[in-house]
Amino acid sequence: MVERIIVGPLSSNAYIYSEWKKECLLIDPGGDMEEILSHMAIKNLKPLGIICTHGHLDHVAGAYELQRHFRERDLEVPVAIHGADAHYLGKNAAESHRISFEQIGIDLKSVLMDYELLFPEPDIILEDGKTVLTSSLTVLHTPGHTPGSICLYSEAQGILFSGDTLFFEGVGRTDLMEGDGESILKSIREKLLILPQETMVFPGHGPNTSIEREIKNNPFLQ
């Protein structure tokens, strides 16, 4: 099961993903915690973990409140992120987010009014080629949007969570702190376009797509 919930002021895609009857993974919970919890309650799901495809605010901002919510109910839910983006979590994370927004001329204070100010410490450091907890999802390290950007690929399910690396006829922006235009195109070509063309792609923003569609139509990849 893949359920998309559009969250936060930047309209990010959060996902509830399940391969199990009563358990799930929360991918990129960037805000609107109550909305995410409502969708989980309808399906009577409990989370095994919170997985962040990268560290930007609109993909991690709900993690602290979700983790606290379940901790108050005696359920420990680990938060996972790639090591190269771990500085976007933890006690010093606010400074990383402030610098990131300043570089594109946005006052973080105006954005933070819509976000939770606290960020959890990372419990799991994701590594390229490793599976995520007990799922069939494999970590694909795809730097470019950020140094620690990842995608999550399930060969068995034929799906890819592409974060802010690959979008419907687009790619992630690279004008933010630590972005690299050459790296993101290299990551997409070497890690994503080699996947089976029928692979369904669930991106961090915008509608779903497929590897086949992006090979044929994505203007950034021609």
Side-chain angles (χ1 to χ4, degrees), residues 11-143:
S11 298
S12 304
N13 292 334
Y15 293 99
I16 300 173
Y17 172 69
S18 180
E19 301 177 7
W20 313 273
K21 289 185 177 180
K22 296 296 182 181
E23 297 170 321
C24 67
L25 294 175
L26 302 178
I27 299 173
D28 287 350
D32 295 331
M33 180 193 79
E34 295 300 331
E35 184 76 8
I36 294 172
L37 290 173
S38 175
H39 283 259
M40 293 176 63
I42 290 171
K43 294 179 171 60
N44 193 26
L45 294 170
K46 71 175 184 178
L48 294 176
I50 296 169
I51 315 302
C52 303
T53 62
H54 62 291
H56 283 161
L57 190 64
D58 55 325
H59 293 260
V60 305
Y64 179 85
E65 279 299 311
L66 284 167
Q67 192 178 58
R68 183 169 67 178
H69 170 87
F70 288 107
R71 184 172 288 151
E72 290 172 351
R73 289 154 180 78
D74 297 320
L75 179 62
E76 286 296 325
V77 182
V79 175
I81 196 168
H82 191 275
D85 271 20
H87 58 286
Y88 286 109
L89 296 177
K91 61 182 180 180
N92 297 318
E95 181 65 10
S96 294
H97 293 294
R98 182 187 66 79
I99 295 171
S100 177
F101 275 85
E102 275 187 352
Q103 289 193 335
I104 56 172
I106 296 177
D107 179 5
L108 185 57
K109 291 180 181 179
S110 65
V111 177
L112 284 179
M113 289 193 303
D114 297 306
Y115 280 114
E116 171 59 53
L117 292 173
L118 298 176
F119 303 94
E121 296 289 340
D123 301 296
I124 299 172
I125 298 300
L126 301 172
E127 299 180 34
D128 186 53
K130 300 295 181 64
T131 54
V132 178
L133 296 172
T134 61
S135 75
S136 67
L137 295 173
T138 298
V139 175
L140 304 180
H141 183 210
T142 53

Side-chain angles (χ1 to χ4, degrees), residues 162-173 203-205 207 209 214 218:
S162 61
D164 281 8
T165 297
L166 180 65
F167 299 138
F168 176 91
E169 297 185 6
V171 301
R173 62 190 298 174
H205 299 268
T209 184
E214 298 316 305
N218 194 314

Side-chain angles (χ1 to χ4, degrees), residues 135-201:
S135 75
S136 67
L137 295 173
T138 298
V139 175
L140 304 180
H141 183 210
T142 53
H145 182 63
T146 65
S149 287
I150 64 157
C151 297
L152 300 166
Y153 173 59
S154 171
E155 181 180 10
Q157 309 297 334
I159 62 174
L160 176 80
F161 295 97
S162 61
D164 281 8
T165 297
L166 180 65
F167 299 138
F168 176 91
E169 297 185 6
V171 301
R173 62 190 298 174
T174 56
D175 58 340
L176 299 169
M177 182 176 70
E178 302 178 313
D180 187 304
E182 290 186 10
S183 292
I184 198 170
L185 294 177
K186 184 173 186 289
S187 293
I188 292 170
R189 291 187 175 114
E190 294 184 0
K191 292 288 187 72
L192 305 187
L193 299 189
I194 64 170
L195 299 177
Q197 292 195 20
E198 63 271 20
T199 302
M200 181 64 68
V201 178

